[in-house]
Amino acid sequence: GQNRSKRGSSGINAEYGGHGKSFRQSLVFSSLSSAQISALFGKECASQRGFVRISPLCQRDVLSQILYPVRQVFSRIRDKRPDEDLVEYLTTGRYQFFVDNLLPRLQRGDVTNVVILIPSYYDFVRVRNYFKKENLKFSQLSEYSSNKTITNVRRDFAEGNIKYLLTTERFFFFKRYKLSKVGQVLFYESPVYAECYTHYLNMLAEDGAVSTLLYNKLDGERLERIVGEQQCKQLINSQQTTHVLMSE
């Protein structure tokens, strides 16, 4: 009835003295596993009857879908410090690594038509604001870009008038556009969907094609979908912070 519908989860939680998560039944569905879902279960789905997780076996890596040789650089950012907040590490740690290490390296080079793929829109806004503050020449494409903007940016990119193109994974997911004359691809974070990785690598110019992907030890599930289980373990556990793979 009406009174029952008003109770909601907060009402149930109050009835059990704040221990509602220990009694309620929670169902979560996703086409892909992720650290966020695992954290949700660990923090908010602590049923005293336990929980069941059903997930498909990880499919083989997508590296075989890359059409021609690409020098793929995997660069691991620093580990989380014991006294560091996890959210702060995941956001600011990656951002500072990009700003202090990778971006200066890109600016010293003479490569144009650089695509910087940023999965999270919040990270995208943060990086975009930094580019604006530093007066760096760039364009942007996101899930909120109009058709007119997309057409103009793709044309300017193909003509070599754009040094940096900032874009989001959701733009890829909904649009699937191809870009001409991509000089280099930088993945700010491992994309959620592995096909996003091969989509952009297959747009690289064949001569001296290079990509760079930033990752940390918490990116294992995403990384595994790209490089496979064994290679992922090596990237995560190795003492080296930079690895290079060459697709055949």
Side-chain angles (χ1 to χ4, degrees), residues 5 23 30 49 61-62 64 118 121-122 145 159 172 207 220 225-227 229 233 246 248:
S5 65
F23 297 94
S30 174
R49 300 294 295 272
D61 63 76
V62 298
S64 60
I118 308 173
Y121 185 76
Y122 300 103
S145 299
E159 294 175 353
F172 153 76
D207 184 20
R225 290 194 284 266
I226 295 174
V227 301
E229 182 179 2
K233 288 180 179 179
M246 195 73 185
E248 299 178 355

Side-chain angles (χ1 to χ4, degrees), residues 20-204:
K21 65 181 181 181
S22 299
F23 297 94
R24 68 169 180 259
Q25 183 182 48
S26 303
L27 303 176
V28 179
F29 298 91
S30 174
S31 61
L32 298 170
S33 59
S34 69
Q36 290 85 349
I37 293 177
S38 298
L40 174 66
F41 264 99
K43 184 178 181 180
E44 302 295 341
C45 305
S47 172
Q48 61 178 348
R49 300 294 295 272
F51 68 89
V52 175
R53 177 177 178 176
I54 301 174
S55 59
L57 295 175
C58 181
Q59 299 178 351
R60 61 172 302 178
D61 63 76
V62 298
L63 300 181
S64 60
Q65 299 174 21
I66 301 172
L67 300 180
Y68 45 81
V70 177
R71 185 172 181 267
Q72 303 164 66
V73 180
F74 292 82
S75 188
R76 193 175 72 221
I77 66 176
R78 65 171 179 81
D79 295 339
K80 176 182 173 297
R81 294 188 293 267
D83 61 342
E84 189 174 15
D85 178 73
L86 178 59
V87 175
E88 181 72 12
Y89 166 70
L90 292 175
T91 54
T92 301
R94 189 184 302 271
Y95 171 78
Q96 286 302 141
F97 186 89
F98 173 78
V99 168
D100 296 339
N101 295 277
L102 286 188
L103 190 56
R105 198 181 310 162
L106 286 174
Q107 291 179 281
R108 288 194 296 267
D110 57 358
V111 179
T112 59
N113 287 32
V114 178
V115 175
I116 302 177
L117 189 287
I118 308 173
S120 165
Y121 185 76
Y122 300 103
D123 289 332
F124 170 81
V125 171
R126 189 176 191 179
V127 173
R128 181 189 65 189
N129 291 344
Y130 178 82
F131 272 60
K132 288 181 178 180
K133 185 183 72 172
E134 297 298 319
N135 294 317
L136 299 177
K137 185 180 179 181
F138 76 100
S139 290
Q140 57 182 306
L141 288 176
S142 74
E143 55 270 32
Y144 301 109
S145 299
S146 66
N147 290 335
K148 181 179 180 181
T149 297
I150 294 171
T151 299
N152 291 338
V153 168
R154 293 179 70 204
R155 182 195 63 236
D156 291 342
F157 192 88
E159 294 175 353
N161 298 323
I162 296 176
K163 183 171 178 63
Y164 302 114
L165 174 61
L166 306 183
T167 187
T168 65
E169 187 173 3
R170 283 173 64 86
F171 176 78
F172 153 76
F173 186 85
F174 290 113
K175 300 296 185 180
R176 310 286 173 130
Y177 283 116
K178 289 188 176 181
L179 298 168
S180 300
K181 301 180 180 179
V182 177
Q184 191 173 149
V185 179
L186 191 151
F187 295 91
Y188 186 83
E189 183 181 4
S190 301
V192 176
Y193 294 91
E195 59 263 38
C196 178
Y197 184 78
T198 56
H199 177 83
Y200 281 98
L201 261 61
N202 285 333
M203 289 189 288
L204 282 162

